[in-house]
Structure formats: C-alpha cells, structure tokens
Amino acid sequence: MLRRPSSLPLRLRLTAAFCGLSVLITGSVAYATWKLSSNYMLDSKEKVSLNQADLNAGRIEIAIERQQTDRIPDLLAGFGSEVQSGVLLDDAGSWISSGDLRPEDVPEELLNLTANGRAARQIISFEKAPALMIGISLAGTSGAFIEVFTLTELNHNFQFISWMLLIGVLVAGVVGAVLGYWAARRALRPLTLFTTSAAAVAAGNLDVRLPSTRDRDLEPLAKAFNETTERLQRRVTRDARFAADVSHELRSPLTTMLNAMSVLRRRRSELTGSAEQALDLLDAELTRFHRMVTDLLEISLHDAGAPATELEPVDLRELISEATRHHDSRIQLPEYEVRVMADRRRLERAFANLVENADQHGSGLVSLRLLAQDGWARIEVDDAGPGIPAAERDLIFDRFARGQVGMAAGTKSGSGLGLALVSQHIGHHGGTVWAEDRPGGGTRFVIEIPHGVEIPRGVEIPRGDQ
C-alpha cells in the first residue's frame, strides 16, 4: 500500500528531523549524565555521612560504657551545627536530642531495622528540606543513635546540574535545527534549480539548461532534463516553422479568392436568391478564413523568434479610437493624454480583438474605459455576456481555447486565437491581461500596461470603477 505523502515541506521535515535527532541524542546523554552524577554524589554523601554517624555513635557508646551519660548532651552539641542528632534509650524510655529532632520524626521502618542491630539509612523531608537519616544501634544497649544530615547543598547541586543539562539539550536542539536547515537547503539546492528551470520552460523559455555537475546522483537528472528541453525546443521550432510556412503559402491562394470574391460581390445583383445566399455565406467564411490565417501567421512568426519591433510613443486615446471606431458611443476616454512606449500595430490589434470578442462571444460591448493610475495605463473592456467561470479565466488566453459558456450560449465559434494574440501582444509590452466579473453581470477584460504614463498637472486621475 502506498503511503500518503506528508503535507509538510521537505525542508521543514529535514529540519525537524535534525532537531529531533539532536534532542534525542543529547537528551539521552544528559539523562545518563544526570543519573550517574547524581547517584555518584548521593552515594559519596551517604558514605561520608555513614562514616561520620558511625564515629559519632562510637563516642556515644564509650560514654555509655563509662557511665558518663551526663556528657551525652555535650557530645551531641559538639557533633556540629550541620546535623541534628539524638539518642533513643529504650530501657530508660527517654529521648535525648541536641536539636529539633523528635521521636515522631523517625520513621518506624528505620527504627525496626536499627533495633535488629543493623545500620539503616533513609532519605526523608526534615524541616521542609531533604535530609539523610542514619540509625545505628548502640552496642551493649537496646538504644539507637539517630543522626540527620541535611541534603540541601546536594539538592542545590542536583538542580544546578539539571538546569545545565536541560539548557544543553535545548541549545543542541537549536543547533540541530540550524544545521538541519542548512543541510536541507544545501541538499535541496539542485532541486530548487531544477524547479526554477522547469518553471522557466513552462513559461516558454526553452533556452534554459541545467549546468553540468560531477555528482553521479544528479548528473542523470540534469542530462535527462537538458535532452528533454532540447528536443522540445526543436519540436516547437519545427512546428512554428511549419505553421509559418503553411500560413505563408496560404496567403497567395487566399488573396486570389478574396479578389475573386470582391468581383462577385460587385455583380451580386445579377444573382438569384439561392446563389445570393451562397455568395454571402462564402464571403463570411472567406473573411473568417483570412482572419484565421493572419492570426496563425502572426503567432507562428512570434514562436519562430521574429525580431522585436521598435517601440514609439503612442497616445492610447487615439489608438483606442481607431481600433473601436464603430463603438464610439460606448468608449470612455480621459481628457488628458495617456502616452506609453508601444508597438502601435500590436496594441491596436489587441484592442480590436477584445472588442470583437465582446461582440461575438459576450453578447455585445457594454463599455471600454481608459484609466491612468499608479504609473500604469489601464483599459477595461466590459461585455454583456453570461460571464466566464473562474476555472476558465486563465485557459481562455491559451491558443485554440474556447469558453464553454460562450459555446453553450450559441454564439459564433472562433478560431481560439484572438485572446491568445491579446495576451501575446500585451506581454510584449510588459503588461498583463486578465478576465474578471463585471459589476452587474457579464465579463470585464482588464489590460494594464506600464512605462511612462503622461498626465498634465492639475488633472484629477480617476481610480478603479469611478
């Protein structure tokens, strides 16, 4: 069964893996270090305390053996201020203490072990602090010597070591994350280059090639990518040349047919009803065929690498008026000049194609507006059609693409090259074109062209949908 791929980016997963591995290793080492060091220090403290308690108990035994019980309080006081000591004499039923140690502070389990003649030790909480209680049976008596050693300083050492080890684990995790990010970035650098190159090829730049590498794992990928791109470039160039040749060869017979049609059109009155209708249909199809061949030739020349045309200052108001002279009542132009550096023929063709698209596929042109804003010339072309679904708004600018809504509405079918030429011509000027919903229904095509919008001083600039 195939595993479902993770939704996290690969770089993030590698960084998290390095960070987790660093934390796991350093955490394990830190825990082992803490365990060993704490056990060692605690054992050392217990041995020292046990030796000290055994020595102190011996002094008490000597005093009892010499029947100098009155010296026991002085002996207990001389054992030092760091311990709380006491002697429990079962036969006398008395408790002698040099400090705050009380009989109820001694655990029953420790007393039982001491009563059996064994030295016992136990960690307890004494006066809200950890302490080591040691019980030693006194030779020749039924009593026991109980001594308590505070572990406050040892506990502080434990806490200090714990914090240091924890900080070390956190620092190791951060260092691991940094190293993981660096390693992931370095390891994914060829993939990033491949992605960038593939995106460039997808955008139409077929001259992109991956650099050669000595890495035996990456060399086959670079070689395969370069060979694929080169074959694709040859194929596209060959197809473009073929389309250009075909379109060019078609122009001569097409010109002959158009000339013959003009002759027939002048003698149209001599034809009968059915012949007249056939002539009209033939005239319409020839006009459409001529437009298709012209569009195809222009696109194929662009694909074949036709030389760039020289740009010149163009007033968009004048250009739009010429391209849309049959729709004067629907054109909204500003009173000031809007000049851009452009190829006049390409822009005029793009505007005419958008107007023709609105008439044939958008139920008629509603308005065409020219605006100037933020250093861009903006042209909005609104139609009264049913609109374009969001999923098709990028596809309609592809070659030979036809919108499903327009086709379903029974509009005239086109060649699918008009909007592709609009995108090509506007892209030639560094601009963009897109489709969006028109307020009130229909579609709005928007063109934005940069470079040198000229507006006289004192003229208010309209914005957006004003």
Side-chain angles (χ1 to χ4, degrees), residues 202-269:
N205 185 7
L206 300 181
D207 294 327
V208 175
R209 298 293 185 271
L210 290 178
S212 59
T213 177
R214 297 180 180 179
D215 193 324
R216 287 182 293 181
D217 294 329
L218 298 176
E219 183 180 3
L221 176 63
K223 184 177 180 180
F225 177 84
N226 292 338
E227 290 179 353
T228 302
T229 307
E230 187 173 354
R231 287 197 299 267
L232 179 62
Q233 186 178 30
R234 289 199 301 265
R235 176 66 181 271
V236 170
T237 303
R238 185 171 61 251
D239 291 347
R241 186 180 300 113
F242 173 76
D245 292 342
V246 171
S247 301
H248 183 74
E249 293 297 327
L250 286 176
R251 296 186 68 177
S252 295
L254 183 59
T255 302
T256 302
M257 287 189 289
L258 289 174
N259 292 334
M261 177 56 64
S262 64
V263 173
L264 293 175
R265 196 181 299 115
R266 287 194 298 268
R267 305 187 65 176
R268 184 171 181 272
S269 59

Side-chain angles (χ1 to χ4, degrees), residues 58-120:
R59 295 176 182 177
I60 298 295
E61 289 175 348
I62 293 174
I64 294 175
E65 183 179 351
R66 295 178 180 178
Q67 297 182 351
Q68 297 174 347
T69 56
D70 55 336
R71 293 185 54 205
I72 292 179
D74 295 334
L75 289 174
L76 295 177
F79 289 160
S81 59
E82 292 186 359
V83 298
Q84 303 292 334
S85 306
V87 177
L88 179 62
L89 301 176
D90 291 343
D91 54 346
S94 61
W95 175 263
I96 302 174
S97 175
S98 65
D100 298 330
L101 183 64
R102 298 170 297 175
E104 54 269 23
D105 294 331
V106 182
E108 187 69 24
E109 182 180 359
L110 186 137
L111 284 177
N112 293 334
L113 293 175
T114 305
N116 294 331
R118 299 169 56 187

Side-chain angles (χ1 to χ4, degrees), residues 129-144:
L132 175 63
M133 179 175 286
I134 298 178
I136 301 176
S137 60
L138 298 175
T141 68
S142 59

Side-chain angles (χ1 to χ4, degrees), residues 282-301:
L282 182 60
D283 188 14
E285 290 302 316
L286 272 178
T287 302
R288 178 170 171 269
F289 185 44
H290 178 259
R291 182 64 176 272
M292 183 187 305
V293 170
T294 303
D295 290 346
L296 186 60
L297 180 60
E298 189 162 353
I299 286 180
S300 60
L301 290 176

Side-chain angles (χ1 to χ4, degrees), residues 4 67 115 119-120 147 171 225 253 259 276 363 370 382 424 459:
R4 183 179 181 181
Q67 297 182 351
E147 192 167 8
V171 171
F225 177 84
N259 292 334
E276 185 179 356
S363 301
L370 170 63
D382 294 348
Q424 177 177 300
V459 176

